[in-house]
Amino acid sequence: LTGTGLDSSFRSIASSVIVPVHNSESWLDECLKSVWEQDFKETMELSVFNDASKDSSAEIIEKWKTKLEDAGVPVIIGSNESSQPRGVGFAKNQAVIQSSGTYLCFLDSDDVMMPQRVRLQHEAAIQRPNSIIGCQVRREPLESTERYTRWINNLTEEQLLTQVFTSHGPTVIMPTWFCSREWFFHVGKFDEGGKGVPEDLLFFYKHIQKGGEVFRVNHCLLLYRYHPQAATHSILEGTIWNHRVRFLEDRVLSSWTSFTIWNAGKQGKKLYRSLSPANRKKVTAFCDVDEKKITRGFYTYEESEVRPKPKIPICHFRDATPPFIICVKLVSTTFSLTESHLIWYSLLLT
């Protein structure tokens, strides 16, 4: 496997646990202990990449290297010795490249695996070679991001693919990912742009674009921590939005000649303005149920450099022409989302 870091002499390792580390001393002991406690009976290794940590992370890693190797689990340690971290994407890629397992189990340094995680996800991955395998999680603290946690844990098998356009990002969250090494390199590694880059979302989109599938093991296999230092907090909402729009255009709008945006309010108009000029031309109307919005008759795109400025009709949804991009709050009996959590459904109605 060219460029995968996999040498033929290393093929005996069934699964590599991939752990990127940056100033993780507060959580790393518990994280690495959870690797040690795995009940996986096949060969397993731990691959850690320490990305310019300035705390005691390196000492904690060395302590667990001894314990794990005494238990028959090889440990590979790589590090960025410079003064500046290269970022999560770089650290994960390096940890993968230096590893040798046929399967990759991703673990964030602030999270904790349940003892059966590697075993159950490995079983699932063998059956699904082109899939990203996720699992259910328990959030810590328990009351943080309750709605998001319900969303993670309760999506149906079908929704794992239909809800890829939501503002929540990947339908199986990155700290739960498990996949084959071969498929990981087929997709093409993580973006290494560093701080502020949603490397997991970009990888997930590439995975979908290459025909990858998504599966979740319906067991809680990870304690998923929420805290202010988490790397996810460095990513701007606008960055996520722009990537989502480009993905929607590529996956859906590229094959449509026209469509209606279902939402004549702020978010529907924001979506319209975010589209490429070619896709804006495909919007035949906005539709809504709000009489106030409908009576305005049309939306004028004031920022347009085109003259005359585009005027898009606003109509009642009963009078609208499919297909639709529905840009609304997602609410159901099992979970509801806040105002900022919007979903785009692309529905081609007959």
Side-chain angles (χ1 to χ4, degrees):
L1 295 175
T2 308
T4 63
L6 182 61
D7 184 277
S8 59
S9 62
F10 290 135
R11 290 196 179 165
S12 58
I13 301 289
S15 184
S16 298
V17 180
I18 304 298
V19 184
V21 172
H22 175 67
N23 292 342
S24 306
E25 64 180 7
S26 301
W27 312 282
L28 196 51
D29 247 324
E30 208 178 343
C31 171
L32 298 182
K33 183 179 183 222
S34 76
V35 177
W36 185 65
E37 290 177 339
Q38 291 301 296
D39 65 13
F40 188 55
K41 298 298 184 214
E42 296 187 48
T43 50
M44 181 178 78
E45 69 177 9
L46 170 65
S47 178
V48 181
F49 189 84
N50 185 2
D51 188 20
S53 293
K54 292 181 167 61
D55 63 2
S56 62
S57 293
E59 289 80 6
I60 296 168
I61 293 165
E62 286 296 335
K63 178 184 78 174
W64 280 103
K65 175 178 166 70
T66 303
K67 286 190 179 186
L68 283 159
E69 292 191 336
D70 285 349
V73 178
V75 178
I76 301 95
I77 303 168
S79 60
N80 165 21
E81 302 293 350
S82 72
S83 59
Q84 292 301 315
R86 294 280 302 274
V88 184
F90 175 80
K92 281 191 278 214
N93 286 339
Q94 291 302 308
V96 171
I97 290 165
Q98 70 189 19
S99 74
S100 55
T102 305
Y103 291 90
L104 307 172
C105 175
F106 290 92
L107 174 63
D108 282 358
S109 59
D110 52 358
D111 295 334
V112 179
M113 297 193 287
M114 302 303 122
Q116 68 273 39
R117 181 187 170 192
V118 173
R119 173 171 56 83
L120 293 181
Q121 288 191 300
H122 182 259
E123 286 170 7
I126 287 170
Q127 303 299 318
R128 300 166 182 85
N130 299 344
S131 288
I132 289 177
I133 311 293
C135 65
Q136 293 174 324
V137 301
R138 177 162 65 84
R139 202 58 153 144
E140 176 70 35
L142 206 55
E143 69 282 357
S144 61
T145 67
E146 286 179 87
R147 289 171 177 169
Y148 177 48
T149 306
R150 282 200 296 274
W151 183 81
I152 292 166
N153 288 336
N154 292 310
L155 290 173
T156 65
E157 204 165 323
E158 183 186 26
Q159 287 171 330
L160 291 173
L161 284 175
T162 60
Q163 294 202 9
V164 295
F165 301 107
T166 69
S167 57
H168 279 327
T171 48
V172 288
I173 59 165
M174 201 280 139
T176 72
W177 287 4
F178 194 107
C179 66
S180 79
R181 179 186 203 86
E182 188 173 357
W183 182 255
F184 175 83
F185 283 100
H186 175 71
V187 174
K189 301 196 287 186
F190 290 104
D191 186 290
E192 296 186 357
K195 193 172 181 180
V197 173
E199 81 292 331
D200 56 343
L201 182 68
L202 296 178
F203 186 94
F204 187 74
Y205 284 169
K206 280 198 296 179
H207 163 77
I208 298 291
Q209 285 161 339
K210 294 199 175 212
E213 296 173 358
V214 186
F215 182 80
R216 187 186 67 227
V217 174
N218 286 323
H219 293 275
C220 177
L221 302 179
L222 189 78
L223 178 71
Y224 179 38
R225 280 208 175 91
Y226 180 85
H227 57 86
Q229 295 98 319
T232 186
H233 297 308
S234 71
I235 301 165
L236 298 174
E237 200 175 308
T239 302
I240 299 285
W241 173 273
N242 290 333
H243 286 303
R244 290 172 60 211
V245 173
R246 300 289 86 81
F247 184 61
L248 179 74
E249 290 183 314
D250 177 69
R251 293 290 294 171
V252 179
L253 303 186
S254 59
S255 62
W256 287 3
T257 54
S258 65
F259 62 95
T260 299
I261 294 176
W262 190 315
N263 185 339
K266 192 186 292 184
Q267 290 294 335
K269 291 170 184 173
K270 180 183 176 183
L271 173 58
Y272 173 83
R273 292 193 302 270
S274 302
L275 295 171
S276 68
N279 282 317
R280 279 200 295 267
K281 285 180 184 172
K282 297 178 185 179
V283 179
T284 54
F286 291 91
C287 72
D288 215 294
V289 292
D290 186 332
E291 288 300 334
K292 258 192 213 170
K293 293 170 187 167
I294 294 165
T295 51
R296 287 183 199 137
F298 54 83
Y299 163 65
T300 305
Y301 180 32
E302 296 291 355
E303 297 91 337
S304 177
E305 293 175 4
V306 175
R307 296 292 182 272
K309 291 178 181 178
K311 286 189 173 184
I312 315 301
I314 301 173
C315 63
H316 194 280
F317 76 89
R318 283 193 299 264
D319 304 317
T321 306
F324 299 98
I325 294 295
I326 303 179
C327 187
V328 295
K329 282 189 294 181
L330 180 62
V331 180
S332 83
T333 53
T334 54
F335 57 93
S336 62
L337 304 184
T338 61
E339 192 67 49
S340 63
H341 292 126
L342 297 151
I343 180 165
W344 294 326
Y345 274 126
S346 48
L347 300 180
L348 190 54
L349 304 181
T350 53

